[in-house]
Amino acid sequence: MPIVYHNGRFIESSQAIRSIEDRGLLFADGVYEVVRYDNGRPFAMRPHIDRLKRSLGGIELPGIDCEAFGPWSDELMVRNGLKDARVYWQVTRGDTGPRSFYIPEHIEPSITLIAYPAPPVDRKAFPTSGGAISADDCRWTRCWIKSTMLLPASLAKTKAKSAGAIECIFVRHKPGLDAHHVTEGGSTNAFIVRDGELHTHPNDGWVLPGITREVLIDAAHASLGMPVREVCFTLEELKQADEVFVCSTTQLSPITSIDGHTIADGNPGAITTKLHFAYLDRIFDQQ
Ligand code: PMP
């Protein structure tokens, strides 16, 4: 039975009981993070803690000691005997009494950490590629908050899976603009390579400020000497791109088609592949 961290205790997951009136359940009133551990070491712990703080600020949930999530995660890995895992952190506002829209002043947030085992990464393996489908980005406007309100992404990703695709690509019609822009993937940030430049949606609130996104922007500059532009692009521009990929803490995935339209020659691009290996280098070279 896996051990989880739940409100101050390391316990078997079956013992981790959550109130039926937890606001996380009733109002999706919560935020989360996912941190990767490879060979026993966490990657990018600081940015994850900082983003958790920002997300908690975004939902106006004060009083959480975010610095404790690092040591809790380390201990969870040890207690579960894991070296490779994705550690899920969740903070909800907790049970505040009978269901009410109004948030009382006194709250007892609920904190849960779960370590999901992952296979050890083969540093020489090429990334897994696949097709994507486009989906209407019907999420709220505060996509910079890593909210547990993931139903739009869950529905769109399920549709993608049924279509044999590996990701959905969200397209948003932003107020005041004629164009529909690609924002990001259902659970990933999206990049295109165009005329030797890397393009990704700006960090302006319409996308999650992905930690992998930052690592790859830096790797593109530092390791590949490549210009990176944080600019909006349309679905049509994505279709015409030289390369497309999506990325998240778990992986970087080349996208070889979108809505049945083949991208370039239908193979993972050379720059995408280099970035995949640069990402793995960053993960392992910190060890
Ligand atoms: N965008 C969305 C909507 C996501 O859900 C995620 C992963 N949770 C990402 C981007 C990638 O973020 P990160 O690189 O920090 O995992």
Side-chain angles (χ1 to χ4, degrees):
M1 181 67 71
I3 302 293
V4 300
Y5 173 90
H6 188 59
N7 293 334
R9 293 186 304 154
F10 290 91
I11 49 178
E12 286 192 356
S13 61
S14 62
Q15 305 300 311
I17 307 295
R18 178 73 61 94
S19 162
I20 57 165
E21 290 202 291
D22 189 308
R23 288 181 58 93
L25 197 56
L26 299 177
F27 296 100
D29 187 352
V31 295
Y32 76 105
E33 281 293 327
V34 178
V35 181
R36 66 181 293 156
Y37 276 69
D38 296 270
N39 200 20
R41 291 279 309 272
F43 181 61
M45 183 61 85
R46 184 77 253 155
H48 282 289
I49 292 171
D50 290 345
R51 188 170 63 184
L52 178 66
K53 284 183 191 165
R54 290 198 305 273
S55 292
L56 287 165
I59 65 164
E60 299 170 32
L61 203 172
I64 304 291
D65 175 15
C66 295
E67 301 300 327
F69 282 71
W72 287 335
S73 301
D74 291 346
E75 188 166 347
L76 197 58
M77 291 292 293
V78 172
R79 284 186 185 240
N80 283 290
L82 292 171
K83 286 210 162 297
D84 298 275
R86 309 293 170 249
V87 181
Y88 175 77
W89 304 347
Q90 188 193 77
V91 183
T92 69
R93 210 175 307 257
D95 180 345
T96 58
R99 182 178 178 274
S100 164
F101 281 88
Y102 306 110
I103 298 168
E105 245 169 58
H106 177 75
I107 53 159
E108 276 178 41
S110 188
I111 299 178
T112 309
L113 279 72
I114 306 171
Y116 294 104
V121 168
D122 174 358
R123 281 187 74 173
K124 299 225 156 38
F126 282 81
T128 308
S129 59
I133 62 163
S134 60
D136 175 34
D137 192 346
C138 60
R139 301 172 300 167
W140 69 342
T141 54
R142 302 182 196 177
C143 295
W144 59 274
I145 299 172
K146 204 160 163 59
S147 159
T148 56
M149 186 176 48
L150 291 169
L151 189 56
S154 180
L155 289 171
K157 283 179 76 81
T158 303
K159 210 169 163 193
K161 193 173 179 215
S162 307
I166 60 168
E167 181 57 303
C168 62
I169 300 283
F170 279 134
V171 181
R172 168 92 77 170
H173 192 187
K174 296 172 198 154
L177 292 176
D178 285 341
H180 291 61
H181 288 141
V182 168
T183 49
E184 58 186 333
S187 59
T188 51
N189 289 109
F191 284 77
I192 61 172
V193 176
R194 199 178 165 179
D195 301 330
E197 286 185 354
L198 197 58
H199 293 184
T200 192
H201 193 287
N203 235 345
D204 58 1
W206 295 99
V207 297
L208 184 79
I211 303 229
T212 321
R213 177 186 180 279
E214 281 310 309
V215 172
L216 293 179
I217 288 175
D218 189 61
H221 281 306
S223 310
L224 272 60
M226 208 180 156
V228 182
R229 284 175 57 205
E230 298 186 44
V231 286
C232 293
F233 50 86
T234 63
L235 187 59
E236 200 45 45
E237 286 167 325
L238 182 143
K239 282 184 183 165
Q240 301 308 323
D242 302 321
E243 301 181 25
V244 178
F245 66 88
V246 292
C247 66
S248 74
T249 291
T250 28
Q251 67 210 352
L252 180 159
S253 307
I255 297 297
T256 49
S257 71
I258 176 92
D259 296 334
H261 169 98
T262 304
I263 290 158
D265 64 2
N267 291 309
I271 289 162
T272 302
T273 305
K274 279 187 192 160
L275 282 170
H276 158 79
F277 287 115
Y279 179 47
L280 295 187
D281 286 348
R282 299 239 165 169
I283 290 168
F284 288 97
D285 290 350
Q286 66 159 9
Q287 306 207 358

